[in-house]
Amino acid sequence: MLEIKNLVVQIEDNRILNGLNLTVNDGEVAAIMGPNGSGKSTLSYVIAGKEDYEVLDGEILLDGQNVLKMGADERAAAGVFLAFQYPLEIPGVGTMTFLKACLNAQRRARGEAEIATPDFIRKVNAAAEKLEINKDMLRRALNVGFSGGEKKRMEILQMALLQPKFCVLDETDSGLDIDALRIVSEGVNALRAEGRSFLVITHYQRLLDYIVPDTVHVMSKGLIVKTGGKELAKELEASGYAEYRTNEAA
Ligand SMILES: Nc1ncnc2c1ncn2[C@@H]1O[C@H](COP(=O)(O)OP(=O)(O)O)[C@@H](O)[C@H]1O
Ligand SMILES: [Mg+2]
């Protein structure tokens, strides 16, 4: 599904990723854990195609196709999705308008017809109900005045609508209370499927009690330094990141 080879990335002359290698198989849920500043968010942005990052070397293959040669919109159409660590508030853009625009952009890029409004509303309402997102939130501007937990649930709603192939969740658990964590995790688990893979980035083992990963990778200083099964997350919870710690306090 996703194969990252020797990825070297810098921003403003700071080398962040230092020849990172990572493979995520079809249907796999891979977790990345690591201390602050190790480059986890950078990796998620580079996969999704955020500008500002300078890719000096390496490739990111999605089903054999190098996504680094594609714009962010092309990657989204190809099925790459990023749930942001800090979802943006977009005043003036209604949540429903935004969701419909995302869905239709994806459909257009795939040569499909736009979704009919009644179908769209039915889809959103069904997904929103599962995620305990109330109708009032859907009527507001995107993420404006949403609590941290509501913003994260909105990211999962977008994911449920877009049905991506490769989903990156960047610290989706941060700022969630235990109920929101359960709701978000159930939303993710419901999307687990043969042809869909996940990269779940988290700081804490707790999320991985709910979204049980197939593999766990430890990231430090822009590299994957250790790979194991789900038990590796438990070991890290017990021993901390001391042996992997970066110098940054970020
Ligand atoms: N826009 C930027 N300009 C300069 N340095 C940055 C920028 N964004 C991130 N960094 C640095 O890159 C490193 C990795 O950051 P990040 O990918 O956010 O790590 P993580 O998500 O693992 O905490 C940090 O040292 C951070 O300060
Ligand atoms: Mg981060």
mmCIF file of all heavy atoms in Angstrom, residues 11-12 14 16 35-43 53 85 171 248 250, ligand 1:
data_model
loop_
_atom_site.group_PDB
_atom_site.id
_atom_site.type_symbol
_atom_site.label_atom_id
_atom_site.label_comp_id
_atom_site.label_asym_id
_atom_site.label_seq_id
_atom_site.Cartn_x
_atom_site.Cartn_y
_atom_site.Cartn_z
ATOM 1 N N ILE A 11 13.038 21.800 6.456
ATOM 2 C CA ILE A 11 12.245 23.019 6.420
ATOM 3 C C ILE A 11 13.120 24.142 6.958
ATOM 4 O O ILE A 11 13.783 23.975 7.992
ATOM 5 C CB ILE A 11 10.909 22.879 7.196
ATOM 6 C CG1 ILE A 11 10.070 24.126 7.055
ATOM 7 C CG2 ILE A 11 11.124 22.525 8.658
ATOM 8 C CD1 ILE A 11 8.601 23.933 7.361
ATOM 9 N N GLU A 12 13.164 25.228 6.225
ATOM 10 C CA GLU A 12 13.996 26.380 6.599
ATOM 11 C C GLU A 12 15.397 25.945 7.044
ATOM 12 O O GLU A 12 15.873 26.325 8.124
ATOM 13 C CB GLU A 12 13.302 27.197 7.689
ATOM 14 C CG GLU A 12 12.079 27.930 7.158
ATOM 15 C CD GLU A 12 11.140 28.406 8.263
ATOM 16 O OE1 GLU A 12 11.583 28.456 9.432
ATOM 17 O OE2 GLU A 12 9.983 28.713 7.944
ATOM 18 N N ASN A 14 16.410 23.331 8.302
ATOM 19 C CA ASN A 14 16.498 22.340 9.378
ATOM 20 C C ASN A 14 16.140 20.974 8.816
ATOM 21 O O ASN A 14 15.031 20.788 8.315
ATOM 22 C CB ASN A 14 15.494 22.644 10.501
ATOM 23 C CG ASN A 14 15.839 23.898 11.249
ATOM 24 O OD1 ASN A 14 17.014 24.202 11.427
ATOM 25 N ND2 ASN A 14 14.825 24.626 11.679
ATOM 26 N N ILE A 16 14.711 17.583 9.048
ATOM 27 C CA ILE A 16 13.749 16.989 9.993
ATOM 28 C C ILE A 16 13.666 15.472 9.818
ATOM 29 O O ILE A 16 13.680 14.733 10.787
ATOM 30 C CB ILE A 16 12.328 17.590 9.827
ATOM 31 C CG1 ILE A 16 12.367 19.124 9.749
ATOM 32 C CG2 ILE A 16 11.417 17.125 10.967
ATOM 33 C CD1 ILE A 16 12.755 19.836 10.997
ATOM 34 N N PRO A 35 8.895 10.755 20.749
ATOM 35 C CA PRO A 35 8.891 11.976 21.545
ATOM 36 C C PRO A 35 8.541 13.207 20.702
ATOM 37 O O PRO A 35 8.594 13.170 19.476
ATOM 38 C CB PRO A 35 10.324 12.072 22.072
ATOM 39 C CG PRO A 35 11.135 11.173 21.233
ATOM 40 C CD PRO A 35 10.228 10.143 20.655
ATOM 41 N N ASN A 36 8.188 14.275 21.382
ATOM 42 C CA ASN A 36 7.943 15.557 20.717
ATOM 43 C C ASN A 36 9.146 15.940 19.888
ATOM 44 O O ASN A 36 10.282 15.762 20.310
ATOM 45 C CB ASN A 36 7.737 16.658 21.774
ATOM 46 C CG ASN A 36 6.321 16.683 22.287
ATOM 47 O OD1 ASN A 36 5.390 16.357 21.549
ATOM 48 N ND2 ASN A 36 6.162 17.054 23.526
ATOM 49 N N GLY A 37 8.876 16.487 18.723
ATOM 50 C CA GLY A 37 9.958 17.006 17.895
ATOM 51 C C GLY A 37 10.682 15.947 17.090
ATOM 52 O O GLY A 37 11.679 16.236 16.433
ATOM 53 N N SER A 38 10.188 14.717 17.096
ATOM 54 C CA SER A 38 10.903 13.671 16.354
ATOM 55 C C SER A 38 10.577 13.692 14.865
ATOM 56 O O SER A 38 11.209 12.993 14.079
ATOM 57 C CB SER A 38 10.633 12.285 16.954
ATOM 58 O OG SER A 38 9.271 12.030 17.065
ATOM 59 N N GLY A 39 9.556 14.481 14.478
ATOM 60 C CA GLY A 39 9.241 14.619 13.047
ATOM 61 C C GLY A 39 7.962 13.915 12.616
ATOM 62 O O GLY A 39 7.711 13.751 11.426
ATOM 63 N N LYS A 40 7.136 13.542 13.567
ATOM 64 C CA LYS A 40 5.908 12.796 13.249
ATOM 65 C C LYS A 40 4.943 13.633 12.409
ATOM 66 O O LYS A 40 4.432 13.167 11.393
ATOM 67 C CB LYS A 40 5.215 12.322 14.545
ATOM 68 C CG LYS A 40 6.107 11.462 15.441
ATOM 69 C CD LYS A 40 5.388 10.958 16.683
ATOM 70 C CE LYS A 40 4.860 12.028 17.621
ATOM 71 N NZ LYS A 40 5.908 12.883 18.222
ATOM 72 N N SER A 41 4.709 14.883 12.848
ATOM 73 C CA SER A 41 3.788 15.735 12.084
ATOM 74 C C SER A 41 4.381 16.079 10.724
ATOM 75 O O SER A 41 3.669 16.127 9.717
ATOM 76 C CB SER A 41 3.472 17.023 12.852
ATOM 77 O OG SER A 41 2.688 16.720 13.990
ATOM 78 N N THR A 42 5.689 16.291 10.695
ATOM 79 C CA THR A 42 6.355 16.568 9.416
ATOM 80 C C THR A 42 6.107 15.428 8.436
ATOM 81 O O THR A 42 5.738 15.651 7.282
ATOM 82 C CB THR A 42 7.874 16.750 9.651
ATOM 83 O OG1 THR A 42 8.060 17.853 10.541
ATOM 84 C CG2 THR A 42 8.624 16.992 8.356
ATOM 85 N N LEU A 43 6.259 14.204 8.913
ATOM 86 C CA LEU A 43 6.021 13.050 8.059
ATOM 87 C C LEU A 43 4.580 13.044 7.543
ATOM 88 O O LEU A 43 4.337 12.834 6.347
ATOM 89 C CB LEU A 43 6.307 11.752 8.838
ATOM 90 C CG LEU A 43 5.971 10.455 8.106
ATOM 91 C CD1 LEU A 43 6.833 10.295 6.850
ATOM 92 C CD2 LEU A 43 6.157 9.242 9.020
ATOM 93 N N TYR A 53 7.615 22.181 2.811
ATOM 94 C CA TYR A 53 8.646 21.199 3.117
ATOM 95 C C TYR A 53 9.468 20.906 1.876
ATOM 96 O O TYR A 53 8.935 20.779 0.792
ATOM 97 C CB TYR A 53 8.020 19.899 3.639
ATOM 98 C CG TYR A 53 7.326 20.103 4.954
ATOM 99 C CD1 TYR A 53 5.965 20.379 5.001
ATOM 100 C CD2 TYR A 53 8.041 20.081 6.147
ATOM 101 C CE1 TYR A 53 5.329 20.612 6.206
ATOM 102 C CE2 TYR A 53 7.417 20.311 7.357
ATOM 103 C CZ TYR A 53 6.066 20.576 7.376
ATOM 104 O OH TYR A 53 5.446 20.819 8.573
ATOM 105 N N GLN A 85 -3.394 17.266 13.421
ATOM 106 C CA GLN A 85 -3.189 17.387 14.873
ATOM 107 C C GLN A 85 -3.927 18.621 15.379
ATOM 108 O O GLN A 85 -4.547 18.583 16.437
ATOM 109 C CB GLN A 85 -1.682 17.498 15.159
ATOM 110 C CG GLN A 85 -1.358 17.635 16.637
ATOM 111 C CD GLN A 85 0.135 17.483 16.926
ATOM 112 O OE1 GLN A 85 0.965 17.338 16.032
ATOM 113 N NE2 GLN A 85 0.464 17.502 18.197
ATOM 114 N N GLU A 171 -1.984 12.498 15.960
ATOM 115 C CA GLU A 171 -2.363 12.772 17.353
ATOM 116 C C GLU A 171 -3.843 13.098 17.482
ATOM 117 O O GLU A 171 -4.223 14.085 18.133
ATOM 118 C CB GLU A 171 -1.488 13.875 17.953
ATOM 119 C CG GLU A 171 -0.031 13.449 17.943
ATOM 120 C CD GLU A 171 0.786 14.032 19.087
ATOM 121 O OE1 GLU A 171 0.196 14.507 20.065
ATOM 122 O OE2 GLU A 171 2.020 13.980 18.988
ATOM 123 N N GLU A 248 15.386 18.389 21.182
ATOM 124 C CA GLU A 248 14.391 19.471 21.175
ATOM 125 C C GLU A 248 13.402 19.355 22.318
ATOM 126 O O GLU A 248 13.007 18.262 22.695
ATOM 127 C CB GLU A 248 13.589 19.476 19.873
ATOM 128 C CG GLU A 248 14.331 20.042 18.699
ATOM 129 C CD GLU A 248 15.127 18.966 17.970
ATOM 130 O OE1 GLU A 248 15.204 17.830 18.476
ATOM 131 O OE2 GLU A 248 15.652 19.294 16.913
ATOM 132 N N ALA A 250 10.519 20.838 21.871
ATOM 133 C CA ALA A 250 9.278 21.201 21.156
ATOM 134 C C ALA A 250 8.085 20.324 21.503
ATOM 135 O O ALA A 250 8.156 19.141 21.405
ATOM 136 C CB ALA A 250 9.505 21.134 19.651
HETATM 137 N N1 LIG B 1 7.810 25.409 10.123
HETATM 138 C C1 LIG B 1 8.897 24.968 10.764
HETATM 139 N N2 LIG B 1 10.035 25.660 10.747
HETATM 140 C C2 LIG B 1 11.139 25.221 11.386
HETATM 141 N N3 LIG B 1 11.184 24.077 12.094
HETATM 142 C C3 LIG B 1 10.078 23.357 12.163
HETATM 143 C C4 LIG B 1 8.872 23.743 11.497
HETATM 144 N N4 LIG B 1 7.920 22.809 11.735
HETATM 145 C C5 LIG B 1 8.517 21.883 12.506
HETATM 146 N N5 LIG B 1 9.801 22.209 12.767
HETATM 147 C C6 LIG B 1 10.738 21.441 13.612
HETATM 148 O O1 LIG B 1 10.780 20.134 13.127
HETATM 149 C C7 LIG B 1 10.937 19.204 14.209
HETATM 150 C C8 LIG B 1 9.863 18.145 14.100
HETATM 151 O O2 LIG B 1 8.590 18.707 14.316
HETATM 152 P P1 LIG B 1 7.270 17.863 14.207
HETATM 153 O O3 LIG B 1 7.245 17.171 12.896
HETATM 154 O O4 LIG B 1 6.126 18.758 14.524
HETATM 155 O O5 LIG B 1 7.494 16.789 15.364
HETATM 156 P P2 LIG B 1 6.450 15.919 16.193
HETATM 157 O O6 LIG B 1 5.139 15.945 15.466
HETATM 158 O O7 LIG B 1 7.083 14.565 16.270
HETATM 159 O O8 LIG B 1 6.354 16.540 17.556
HETATM 160 C C9 LIG B 1 10.865 20.028 15.473
HETATM 161 O O9 LIG B 1 12.172 20.226 15.928
HETATM 162 C C10 LIG B 1 10.248 21.327 15.030
HETATM 163 O O10 LIG B 1 10.692 22.404 15.811
#
